[in-house]
Amino acid sequence: MTTTDFFNQLSSQYSKSLPFVAYKKPNESVIKAMLQDNDKLHFTQDFKDSGFVFSPFKNEERTVLFPLDNCEVLDCLDDINSVKTKNSLNDSFTTSSKTNHIKLVEKGISEIKKGSFEKVVLSSVNTEAFLPSEALILFKKLLATYKTAMVYCWYHPKVGLWLGATPETLLKTEGNRFLTMSLAGTQPYNTTAEVVWQSKEKEEQQFVTDFIVNSLKPSVSSITIGKTNTVKAGKLLHLHTKISGILKPENGLKAIIDKLHPTPAVCGLPKQDAKQFIIKHEGYNREFYTGFFGEINLKQSKTRNTNRRNVENNAYATVKTISHLFVNLRCLQIKNNQALIYVGGGITKDSVPEKEWEEIVAKSKTVKNLL
């Protein structure tokens, strides 16, 4: 399917107010889509369904499912390398937004010093004028700009319209093998990824890694922690550690998700104490921001031998069940002719409120400059 035909079908689906998701995984060359055949709202509780899930920050709320059996699946080659963009927006945060966020961070640091929790992730929402009819154009801009991110456009008439370009995997499973990551610490990218990280960022990264490893240990038969390195996401740099291993056969997808979500990278540590602070003090409902989304229980066939001349061995294909979930970061919601842009940062005892605000502004530009 050509890119033009692909986007024409998305546009037709959207104009009929029918649910769809279109997405491209990091560093892949194919854009995929699932188009639901009616506007029914489906949910999953046990994560045993096949399809595409969209789950909120509050893990006690329900996860929306686009069931594979109710969807037309499309794909096309990603040949979108450039899209015309308007002049970049100026920093449009209000003075009150800055003041409120700095006060929120100060309150968070105060609670950390009291011993209420070790880390908390605090966020802000910024609003820009934006027409819903421009959503697919924005999706193209995200695809052209963020090749190493999970770029998506998700729509359900009974839930809303969300887009984003997230650098963070929550969980990938292939059969009984799993892969996850800890991603924390942020600084601007200025021509090189060879940078010095301060103790605050290193400590924040270690919090996330330790939480993931300790949470998963009872559910895995082996676990491997990779080296921590610096990764680039758009115009930002982060600390990144790969964590992989083998799941115990009795553990289903839901059990692992429950242990991971929400991670300290989007919530804090200890998880429940940080979460209650966020809900009480942040001053708005995150909805699907810092939730997770992606494919669950899709069947993928793999041949044993990639040598085409060895036709006999190619007949022995293995079918594995694949799930690939991403944390909903660097995202926005389109609502009432506005784009609600969500951004946050991890707060520890060493955080400096003014610098935390500067990080919020830098992260917001990931998508704001494309509006």
Side-chain angles (χ1 to χ4, degrees), residues 101-171:
H101 191 75
I102 286 174
K103 282 181 181 176
L104 178 65
V105 171
E106 287 170 347
K107 192 185 289 281
I109 294 169
S110 174
E111 289 298 318
I112 291 168
K113 288 179 176 175
K114 283 183 196 173
S116 301
F117 37 75
E118 293 176 74
K119 172 189 171 175
V120 64
V121 177
L122 299 173
S123 67
S124 181
V125 60
N126 183 222
T127 306
E128 298 283 351
F130 189 83
L131 294 174
S133 57
E134 301 282 305
L136 291 179
I137 296 171
L138 177 57
F139 179 50
K140 285 184 180 179
K141 289 179 183 179
L142 290 167
L143 286 166
T145 309
Y146 298 108
K147 297 293 183 184
T148 60
M150 168 63 161
V151 178
Y152 79 94
C153 177
W154 185 96
Y155 171 70
H156 196 299
K158 296 173 181 174
V159 179
L161 173 60
W162 289 74
L163 299 97
T166 178
E168 185 166 353
T169 288
L170 176 71
L171 178 68

Side-chain angles (χ1 to χ4, degrees), residues 347-371:
I347 310 303
T348 68
K349 66 181 189 303
D350 298 321
S351 293
V352 178
E354 188 76 30
K355 286 190 174 179
E356 295 300 331
W357 174 251
E358 289 169 8
E359 185 177 312
I360 289 284
V361 173
K363 284 178 176 175
S364 73
K365 290 177 180 174
T366 302
V367 289
K368 193 188 287 190
N369 288 345
L370 301 178
L371 291 177

Side-chain angles (χ1 to χ4, degrees), residues 31 37 89 173 268 338:
I31 313 168
D37 56 16
L89 291 165
T173 63
Q338 290 181 318

Side-chain angles (χ1 to χ4, degrees), residues 288-319:
F288 292 91
Y289 165 60
T290 62
F292 63 88
F293 65 92
E295 304 163 334
I296 60 165
N297 302 317
L298 299 187
K299 301 294 183 188
Q300 190 174 89
S301 178
K302 288 193 172 183
T303 55
R304 285 185 188 175
N305 193 316
T306 54
N307 185 340
R308 289 183 181 180
R309 287 175 297 179
N310 197 335
V311 178
E312 191 174 314
N313 272 355
N314 281 345
Y316 296 97
T318 56
V319 177

Side-chain angles (χ1 to χ4, degrees), residues 139-325:
F139 179 50
K140 285 184 180 179
K141 289 179 183 179
L142 290 167
L143 286 166
T145 309
Y146 298 108
K147 297 293 183 184
T148 60
M150 168 63 161
V151 178
Y152 79 94
C153 177
W154 185 96
Y155 171 70
H156 196 299
K158 296 173 181 174
V159 179
L161 173 60
W162 289 74
L163 299 97
T166 178
E168 185 166 353
T169 288
L170 176 71
L171 178 68
K172 182 179 183 183
T173 63
E174 184 175 317
N176 64 348
R177 293 185 173 274
F178 78 90
L179 170 70
T180 184
M181 65 167 70
S182 64
L183 190 77
T186 302
Q187 57 178 293
Y189 172 75
N190 292 314
T191 69
T192 179
E194 298 295 321
V195 294
V196 176
W197 291 96
Q198 302 303 314
S199 59
K200 184 259 178 185
E201 286 91 4
K202 289 179 182 177
E203 182 182 55
E204 189 184 343
Q205 171 68 6
Q206 198 60 48
F207 277 154
V208 181
T209 303
D210 290 347
F211 165 83
I212 291 171
V213 171
N214 292 332
S215 298
L216 290 178
K217 267 183 179 174
S219 306
V220 302
S221 54
S222 73
I223 192 163
T224 303
I225 305 162
K227 288 183 179 178
T228 299
N229 60 351
T230 302
V231 294
K232 181 173 176 281
K235 294 183 179 178
L236 299 173
L237 298 173
H238 303 287
L239 283 167
H240 166 274
T241 308
K242 191 184 287 186
I243 301 161
S244 60
I246 308 292
L247 296 169
K248 289 179 181 175
E250 65 268 24
N251 284 287
L253 196 57
K254 185 183 188 314
I256 307 302
I257 290 168
D258 287 346
K259 288 180 177 176
L260 289 177
H261 175 68
T263 72
V266 300
C267 181
L269 198 68
K271 182 156 60 173
Q272 283 308 118
D273 297 325
K275 185 178 165 188
Q276 290 312 309
F277 181 87
I278 289 166
I279 291 167
K280 185 176 179 182
H281 297 288
E282 219 168 40
Y284 77 99
N285 182 1
R286 289 188 178 188
E287 296 186 40
F288 292 91
Y289 165 60
T290 62
F292 63 88
F293 65 92
E295 304 163 334
I296 60 165
N297 302 317
L298 299 187
K299 301 294 183 188
Q300 190 174 89
S301 178
K302 288 193 172 183
T303 55
R304 285 185 188 175
N305 193 316
T306 54
N307 185 340
R308 289 183 181 180
R309 287 175 297 179
N310 197 335
V311 178
E312 191 174 314
N313 272 355
N314 281 345
Y316 296 97
T318 56
V319 177
K320 287 190 175 175
T321 303
I322 309 282
S323 298
H324 202 170
L325 301 172

